[in-house]
C-alpha cells in the first residue's frame, strides 16, 4: 500500500479507501451476508487499507465498528457522515449532533477521525456553514471527532458549486468530490483550490455503474453521440473504451478508471466500493499501478474532458443505500 498525508489534517492515509456505501454497501446491497462484509473489511486491512468511509445513511457503521474492534484505534482512520441530503436541506443542528452521538455508538468508538456533512447541495451550503458547522465544532471541542468535512452531492451539483464555496472557507479539513473518466471538471474546478487550501480530498464515483455495469457505457455513448457531444464512432462500437486496453496500458476498463483518478494531482484518497473479495484485490492493484500512458490520458481528455455530470447515478432518495 502507499500512504499520503490527507491535506492539513496531517493524517497518514492509504491511497485506497474502502467505501462502505454506494451500490455495494460492502456486499449487503447485492445480498451478501454481514459475516462476508466483515471478512471484506479485514481483507482490506490485510492489504494495507487504513481509511474506511461510511455514513449514518448506509447502515454499515455497526458492521464497520465490529470489523475494526480488534485493530488498535490509532491504526485506522474512520470517516462517517451526518445525514444532510437534498431531501433534508434544513435539518437541524440538534439532529446532526444526535446523529454524531449515534455514529459513535454504532461504530463503538470514542472518537471519529473525519466527520462529514453528507451530500450538501449548493443552496444548502449557507445553512450547513452557519448553523450545522458551529454546533458540530462544539462537539469536536469535546473530543467527539478530529476533523470536520463535507461531501458534495455529485448528481445534483455536477459543477461542484458547493465545494467552490466550502474549500476556501476554512471550516472543512476534508472534502469528498466526484471525478471520473467522463466527468473531469474537478480538475479545474476543485483540485487546485483544495491544494491551495490544503484541504484533503476523498474521491468518489471512480467507477460507479457507468464503468461496471454491462452495456451502460455503450448506451451512454449512443445518447451522447446523438446529442453531438462525442464522435459518432463511439456510438457504433460495443467497447467504446477498448482503446485503453493494450500492452503497457490498462488491463480492463475498471483498471483504467481507478488508475485514471488515482494519479490526478489534488486527489489524496480514492474510495472504492465493492462487496466482492476479488474486486477488492484487483481494485487495490489498480490503485497501486502506474498512471495510464500519457497518450491514453490525452485521448480521454480530448474525447471526454468537456463532458459534465455523465455517469453520476442519481440517488434514489427513497432508498438509503444509494449515495
Ligand atoms: N455524497 C457522498 O457522500 C457519496 C456519494 C457516493 C459515494 N460515496 C462514498 O464513496 C464510496 C465509493 O462509492 P462509488 O460508488 O463511488 O464506488 P466505485 O468504486 O466507483 O463503484 C463501485 C461499483 O463498481 C462495482 N465494482 C467495483 N470494483 C469492480 C470490479 N473490479 N469489477 C466489476 N465491478 C466492480 C461495484 O460492484 P461490486 O460490489 O460487484 O464490486 C459497485 O457497484 C462509497 O462507498 C461511499 O463511501 C459518498
Amino acid at each position: 500500500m502507499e500512504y499520503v498525508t490527507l491535506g492539513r489534517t496531517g493524517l497518514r492515509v492509504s491511497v485506497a479507501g474502502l467505501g462502505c456505501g454506494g451500490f455495494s454497501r460492502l456486499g449487503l446491497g447485492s445480498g451478501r451476508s454481514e459475516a462476508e462484509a466483515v471478512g471484506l473489511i479485514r481483507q482490506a486491512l490485510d492489504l494495507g487499507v487504513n481509511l474506511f468511509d461510511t455514513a449514518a445513511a448506509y447502515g454499515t457503521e455497526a458492521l464497520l465498528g465490529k470489523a475494526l474492534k480488534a485493530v488498535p484505534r490509532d491504526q485506522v482512520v474512520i470517516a462517517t457522515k451526518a445525514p444532510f441530503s437534498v431531501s433534508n436541506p434544513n435539518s437541524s443542528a440538534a439532529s446532526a449532533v444526535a446523529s454524531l452521538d449515534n455514529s459513535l455508538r454504532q461504530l463503538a468508538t470514542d472518537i471519529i477521525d473525519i466527520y462529514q456533512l453528507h451530500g450538501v447541495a449548493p443552496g444548502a451550503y449557507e445553512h450547513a456553514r452557519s448553523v450545522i458547522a458551529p454546533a458540530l465544532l462544539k462537539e469536536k471541542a469535546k473530543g467527539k471527532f478530529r476533523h470536520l468535512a463535507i461531501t458534495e452531492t455529485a448528481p445534483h451539483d455536477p459543477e461542484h458549486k458547493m465545494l467552490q464555496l466550502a474549500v476556501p472557507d476554512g471550516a472543512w479539513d476534508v472534502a469528498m468530490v466526484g471525478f471520473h473518466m467522463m466527468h473531469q471538471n474537478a480538475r479545474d474546478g476543485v483540485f487546485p483550490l483544495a491544494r491551495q487550501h490544503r484541504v484533503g480530498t476523498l474521491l468518489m464515483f471512480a467507477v460507479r455503474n457507468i464503468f461496471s455495469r454491462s452495456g451502460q457505457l455503450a448506451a451512454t455513448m449512443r445518447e451522447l453521440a446523438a446529442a453531438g457531444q462525442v464522435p459518432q464512432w463511439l456510438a457504433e462500437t460495443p467497447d467504446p473504451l477498448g482503446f485503453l486496453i493494450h500492452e503497457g496500458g490498462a488491463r480492463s476498463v475498471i483498471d483504467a478508471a481507478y488508475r485514471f483518478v488515482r494519479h490526478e494531482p489534488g486527489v489524496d484518497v480514492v474510495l472504492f466500493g465493492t462487496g466482492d473479495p476479488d474486486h477488492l484485490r484487483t481494485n487495490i492493484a489498480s490503485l497501486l499501478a502506474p498512471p495510464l500512458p500519457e497518450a491514453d490520458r490525452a485521448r480521454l481528455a480530448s474525447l471526454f474532458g468537456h463532458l459534465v455530470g455523465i455517469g453520476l447515478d442519481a440517488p434514489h432518495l427513497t432508498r438509503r443505500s444509494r449515495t
Side-chain angles (χ1 to χ4, degrees):
M1 183 52 64
E2 291 172 30
Y3 299 87
V4 290
T5 300
L6 186 61
R8 63 189 183 225
T9 69
L11 294 168
R12 288 295 287 173
V13 288
S14 51
V15 296
L18 182 60
C20 305
F23 286 86
S24 292
R25 287 175 62 234
L26 301 169
L28 301 184
S30 52
R32 290 180 190 248
S33 68
E34 293 206 353
E36 286 172 292
V38 168
L40 197 89
I41 293 166
R42 296 207 172 124
Q43 183 192 1
L45 285 164
D46 288 345
L47 291 171
V49 171
N50 78 346
L51 185 140
F52 296 84
D53 177 67
T54 182
Y58 299 162
T60 53
E61 287 180 315
L63 206 152
L64 182 62
K66 189 171 163 190
L68 298 181
K69 200 170 168 195
V71 183
R73 186 62 189 81
D74 62 357
Q75 302 292 298
V76 285
V77 173
I78 299 177
T80 190
K81 313 184 188 81
F84 196 81
S85 76
V86 284
S87 59
N88 191 18
N90 294 314
S91 56
S92 69
S95 71
V97 172
S99 190
L100 167 62
D101 289 337
N102 192 48
S103 289
L104 286 163
R105 277 192 296 275
Q106 294 290 320
L107 287 158
T109 186
D110 295 337
I111 187 162
I112 288 160
D113 298 291
I114 302 171
Y115 196 60
Q116 307 161 101
L117 281 191
H118 196 166
V120 178
Y125 181 70
E126 177 50 32
H127 179 74
R129 176 68 183 92
S130 62
V131 177
I132 312 282
L136 286 176
L137 288 170
K138 281 189 195 152
E139 303 305 304
K140 177 185 173 189
K142 295 179 196 165
K144 293 186 185 175
F145 66 94
R146 291 194 168 86
H147 301 284
L148 188 61
I150 194 158
T151 82
E152 69 180 0
T153 168
H156 299 92
D157 184 15
E159 293 184 331
H160 314 286
K161 291 193 170 120
M162 187 284 292
L163 287 180
Q164 282 157 9
L165 298 171
V167 169
D169 191 310
W172 322 94
D173 295 334
V174 178
M176 191 183 292
V177 55
F179 176 75
H180 65 62
M181 292 189 287
M182 294 185 185
H183 178 56
Q184 303 182 23
N185 58 354
R187 178 177 298 126
D188 295 328
V190 179
F191 299 138
L193 267 183
R195 294 174 86 188
Q196 183 189 343
H197 294 275
R198 297 179 55 241
V199 168
T201 58
L202 307 180
L203 200 292
M204 60 182 168
F205 282 89
V207 166
R208 206 67 170 182
N209 286 334
I210 187 171
F211 304 122
S212 68
R213 293 222 174 149
S214 171
Q216 188 148 333
L217 178 59
T220 303
M221 288 301 108
R222 288 194 292 276
E223 282 170 27
L224 289 172
Q229 291 199 63
V230 297
Q232 184 59 28
W233 68 266
L234 285 166
E236 290 165 2
T237 165
D239 190 13
L241 291 178
F243 65 86
L244 295 173
I245 297 155
H246 58 86
E247 183 79 29
R251 285 181 286 112
S252 66
V253 169
I254 289 178
D255 179 51
Y258 284 122
R259 287 167 65 181
F260 176 78
V261 298
R262 156 77 175 93
H263 297 282
E264 182 69 29
V267 171
D268 293 326
V269 175
V270 177
L271 297 174
F272 65 99
T274 189
D276 182 317
D278 288 334
H279 292 173
L280 184 135
R281 198 173 34 75
T282 56
N283 294 350
I284 290 175
S286 296
L287 289 166
L288 296 180
L292 297 176
E294 172 55 34
D296 291 344
R297 283 184 285 140
R299 203 160 176 205
L300 287 169
S302 79
L303 285 172
F304 309 122
H306 59 290
L307 300 176
V308 176
I310 304 303
L312 307 177
D313 322 280
H316 298 226
L317 295 173
T318 52
R319 298 193 50 183
R320 67 181 185 175
S321 62
R322 296 299 165 109
T323 55

